[in-house]
Amino acid sequence: MPDLATLGQEKSNLIKALQEQQREEGYISDQAIKNISREFDMAPVEVEGVVSFYTQFKRIKPGKYKIQVCDGTACHIKGSKLVLNWAQDHLGIAEGETDEEGLFSLDAVACLGCCSLAPVISINGKVYGDLTRKKLLKILKDYRAREEDE
Amino acid sequence: MINRIKIGMASCGVAAGANEVKDKIAEVAPEEEIVEVGCIGHCYAEPIVEIETDEGSIFFQDVEPDEDFINRMLELEDFSRFTPNPEREKWEKKFVTELSGKIDPVSLEEYRDRGGYQGLEKALEMAPEEVVEEVKTSYLRGRGGGGFPTGMKWSFLAAKEEEDKVIICNADEGDPGAFMDRTVMESIPHQMLEGMLIGAHATGANRLFIYCRAEYPLAVRNLNTAISQIEEAGLNRIGGKDLKITVKEGAGAFVCGEETALIHSLEGKRGTPRYRPPYPTDKGYKGRPSMINNVETFTNVPLIIRLGGEEYARVGTENSTGTKLFALAGDLEYSGLVEVPMGVSIGDVIYGIGGAEEGSIKAVQIGGPSGGCIPEEYFDTPIDYDSLNELGAIMGSGGLIAISKGRCMVETARYFLDFTAKESCGKCTFCRIGTKRMLETLERVTGGEGTVEDVELLSELGPKIINGSLCGLGQTAPNPVLTTLKYFKNEYLDHVEDKHCPALECDALVEVEIDNEVCIECGQCIKNCPVDVISDDFVIDNEGCTRCNSCIEVCPVDAISRVRKGGKVNVAN
């Protein structure tokens, strides 16, 4: 757990504290907001205000596999909208959601910065490029199969 | 004889599989020395491996993590060799990024062997005001997009008499489609830091920050490693004090690229901009005078000091000196990071360096969501701050996306508005609500429900948002719409008057059709259709079709295509 008491002595550490908290738990829980607001001597609503301002912070528990569909310019013109649709259809969840088993969560992100491989997604940081529908579904099915094996 | 093996390990390389390649080489040839280097700018050919021999270097492209491939490569067989597009060499000038991809990014020694920190040494022998003067002479302009003369900014901070002064490097590269700063930080972090240290000497700043996007983990890691090397070597000892350099990770907000918003974010607050004045050089981080420059700007500084401002200014044009990095992507043969002298034409970059098919590109989108679309007829325009402004676009930070004739410009504008509307911080009404209304209007047009009045509404809203917004985000948000309206108005009118998307991109205005004369009835489309709308006699029910393109992708004989809605009737007319 991040050392909130030390971080809280300096208000400019708020974003850092939230980042460490999220690294730990995967998201910012209600309890985390309470703890942080206590240590930073701020109202919970002020902390919530900072959390909601930045796209990095999640208030919903993410899945075991975090899928990020890149919607940067290069990916967009190469069909990232389709990629997102395919993933949504296959997983049965909308962008920003986590599936019921807590296995996959899906987000559209601004740019993963590997434009030459467009369209791309990343799953827990690993990048998959030059996607077609077939390729995407195979990747997702492989993850699920691996999960079932374990 | 192989001396050593270099692997490009910047984000593009890693995404293409450089890690696996590295591991495989280490397994196949454990005796060889492997060096991880940064980006050489040819993303399309990654993973790239350079083998240094006594006779010079040999480059391999699209390297596979396969034992046979690696063995043949180590035998220096003549296959999968990488040779840069010769046209590119004609236009490109590796100046600022000369060392990128050649040195180990986190080796202070290698950087110093190649002239690194000579600029800092020279600067420390000069009086601070001489350094500022040198930067003024070079006429370096801010590479973050605005183009404000850097020397001038430095002189503002230098003139401040407060004891505590702050320098901030803006590395919050939030534009979708831009990766210049990331590549610089990943590949030549020392060069950027050297520029910051020179800035500290010139202005008397005693606290240095780098505000970096959290999405760039490798950049953050390399910067932190470089900073500890600097501290160990005592290079941060300036004016008798050890300066503290801190990397702060942003948390994902495009508006934080704006100076005052960035400062709020550094202070741990919501990143909303504020009214200026006071300017950051008067009152910035925690009320101290603060100066913000972009990554690329700082990375230019060591060259200016080493070469002298006058010599530096020989590169580029009179009012836009030096070079500019561009992240080149879109409908091109060779995407990647390029560095060109200012004044090169847009066409030379797209066709010469990018290798786009002659005549295939109808516009370039320059400067990201704040920039604009420039049509084909202006491709001979030189790339410099002033010429681009005249066209209604901006230099921006350096994203350059080629848009082919098969793309819809209304959809392109909608895409950028969608981005800025989401990223608007909400402080100014015109930006918060105006971009939202603009987006809704664009959605009506691409959705086939737009009217001519909608197109007029867009032209009317644009200038109002620009005038009614406090910061750069709102002031530039309408640019993609206004420039496409200016240069591609016919496409807007096609959408609203004829309910036709000429590029067949807008889903609401197209249907998917199987050409039964070409169809071989293999059944692949039926098998792959996620919504089961293809009948046994190969007819698509367009009511239920989601336009996902799956059938088009799998059809072995290209019998399926997108056509204009109600197309057949109109074509017969």
Side-chain angles (χ1 to χ4, degrees), chain B residues 1-7 21-34 49-53 58-60 63-64 66-81:
Chain B
M1 252 333 276
I2 296 176
N3 293 329
R4 53 181 199 167
I5 301 170
K6 289 182 184 170
I7 306 181
V21 168
K22 191 189 91 186
D23 292 346
K24 201 73 194 173
I25 297 177
E27 186 191 314
V28 173
E31 69 285 358
E32 300 293 351
E33 184 195 351
I34 301 174
V49 171
E50 175 187 353
I51 299 189
E52 284 183 350
T53 68
I58 300 167
F59 291 84
F60 290 85
V63 178
E64 291 166 23
D66 164 81
E67 195 168 331
D68 184 50
F69 191 106
I70 305 284
N71 275 324
R72 289 176 63 197
M73 184 175 80
L74 295 175
E75 293 294 323
L76 307 180
E77 269 186 46
D78 191 11
F79 81 115
S80 202
R81 289 282 177 96

Side-chain angles (χ1 to χ4, degrees), chain A residues 16-41:
Chain A
K16 193 174 177 200
L18 289 164
Q19 284 170 333
E20 290 190 9
Q21 183 68 36
Q22 181 155 303
R23 215 163 284 155
E24 198 75 33
E25 283 195 285
Y27 74 118
I28 307 288
S29 63
D30 292 347
Q31 189 57 46
I33 297 231
K34 272 188 209 150
N35 296 347
I36 289 172
S37 67
R38 191 182 58 236
E39 299 297 343
F40 278 76
D41 196 19

